[in-house]
Amino acid sequence: MPIQHPRSQLNRFDLVITPQHDYYPLTPHGQRQIPWFLRRWITPCRPPDRHVVLTVGALHLADSAALRSAASVWHDELAPLARPLLVVNIGGPTSSCQYGADLAKQLIAMLQNVLWSCGSVRISFSRRTPEKVSKILFEKFSSNPKVYICDGEGPNPHMGHLAWADAFVITADSVSMLSEACTTGKPVYVIGAERCTWKFADFQKSLQERGAVRPFTGKEDISESWSYPPLNDTAEAASQVMKALAARGWTIDA
C-alpha cells in the first residue's frame, strides 16, 4: 500500500492513498498546461478508481490526541503568553512556489500591520528556509517584545504551537504545515499562494473553497476568530485501510 502517487501502475497495489491535487494533471486546466507530446509521461494517467483513497492534504501525526499531549508538554512555556497568540510558520521556496527576500519583506510589512491585534507572535522556520529570509526577519523583530523567533535550538516547538496558537500565518509552499494547521479548526492565513503553480495552486484553491484558509493581507484583526470543519485526512485514510484489511479477513488492534 503506497502513500501519495507511486511511479507505477496503480493496479499493482491493493490501496493507494494520495492527495486529491495529485490528480490535477487530469483536469482540463492541468491538461492545457502540459505539452501534448509530454502527456503520456505525466502521472497519473487515469482517474482514481475504488482502491484509490483521496485526501485533501498531507498525512501527518498532529491528531487530537497528539495535540492534547503537546498542550500538556508545552503548557509552562506557551500558556502564560498574552493572547491572541499568532504563530508564523515559514517554509522555503520550491520549484512550484518560488520566493525569497521579497516575500520576507512583504511578510514583515503585513505582520507590522497586525501586531496591534496580537498578544504574542512566535515565528518558526523549517529546514528549507533560506538564510537570507530568516535573517531579514531576525533583524526586524528580534528586539520586539511581542515577537519571539525560534532559533532552532532546544526542543522543536512545532506541536506545541499547533496546540496553543489562536491563529496561524503560513507560507504557501508547505503542504504539510498547512495540512497540520488546518486540522485544528483555527484561523489559517496563507502568504504567497499567488506564487504557487501547477498542482500546488490547485491545493491552495481547494483549501480556500473549504473555508480552511484565507489570504494574509495585513489588514486582519487577529483577535477575531473564524472556524471551519477541520481536516481529518489521517483518520479517514486510516479508516479506509482498516476496511480494506477487514475485507481480506485481517484485523489490527486499535
Side-chain angles (χ1 to χ4, degrees):
M1 180 196 72
I3 295 176
Q4 295 193 356
H5 198 285
R7 302 301 178 186
S8 181
Q9 295 297 319
L10 298 190
N11 58 13
R12 298 180 180 179
F13 304 95
D14 295 313
L15 196 67
V16 174
I17 301 172
T18 189
Q20 186 168 347
H21 59 263
D22 275 357
Y23 279 86
Y24 174 74
L26 296 184
T27 66
H29 192 265
Q31 286 285 297
R32 287 195 295 269
Q33 296 183 57
I34 307 172
W36 66 268
F37 57 88
L38 291 178
R39 289 179 184 174
R40 62 176 296 188
W41 305 106
I42 301 297
T43 59
C45 303
R46 299 180 182 84
D49 60 22
R50 59 182 178 80
H51 77 296
V52 176
V53 176
L54 296 179
T55 64
V56 177
L59 303 186
H60 53 80
L61 299 177
D63 61 10
S64 57
L67 293 181
R68 285 194 299 271
S69 176
S72 175
V73 170
W74 287 91
H75 177 275
D76 291 349
E77 181 171 341
L78 301 181
L81 296 179
R83 318 300 290 202
L85 169 58
L86 176 65
V87 166
V88 181
N89 289 335
I90 301 171
T94 67
S95 60
S96 298
C97 190
Q98 299 183 12
Y99 62 86
D102 56 334
L103 188 71
K105 294 174 181 177
Q106 180 185 357
L107 176 59
I108 286 171
M110 291 178 174
L111 286 176
Q112 287 178 316
N113 287 339
V114 302
L115 270 179
W116 67 270
S117 66
C118 301
S120 307
V121 177
R122 288 177 67 100
I123 301 175
S124 64
F125 307 104
S126 78
R127 291 186 295 271
R128 296 186 295 105
T129 308
E131 184 178 357
K132 61 184 178 182
V133 170
S134 57
K135 184 177 180 181
I136 290 172
L137 286 151
F138 267 113
E139 290 176 349
K140 190 64 182 180
F141 290 119
S142 59
S143 62
N144 190 308
K146 271 192 176 184
V147 181
Y148 176 83
I149 302 180
C150 303
D151 58 9
E153 300 295 328
N156 187 340
H158 181 63
M159 293 296 289
H161 285 172
L162 289 172
W164 284 100
D166 296 300
F168 302 90
V169 171
I170 301 176
T171 55
D173 58 276
S174 180
V175 173
S176 294
M177 289 195 297
L178 285 167
S179 300
E180 290 169 336
C182 288
T183 65
T184 68
K186 302 171 186 176
V188 179
Y189 298 100
V190 180
I191 182 168
E194 70 284 355
R195 299 168 185 246
C196 291
T197 59
W198 193 231
K199 65 180 182 179
F200 300 100
D202 192 57
F203 171 64
Q204 297 293 335
K205 181 173 178 284
S206 71
L207 291 183
Q208 291 186 24
E209 289 176 345
R210 293 173 65 94
V213 305
R214 296 179 183 179
F216 187 46
T217 65
K219 299 177 182 179
E220 293 81 5
D221 179 348
I222 301 302
S223 66
E224 294 182 357
S225 186
W226 46 277
S227 61
Y228 50 89
L231 297 190
N232 196 32
D233 284 333
T234 303
E236 292 171 1
S239 175
Q240 293 300 316
V241 172
M242 299 291 281
K243 288 180 181 178
L245 292 175
R248 290 160 175 77
W250 302 341
T251 59
I252 295 178
D253 292 334

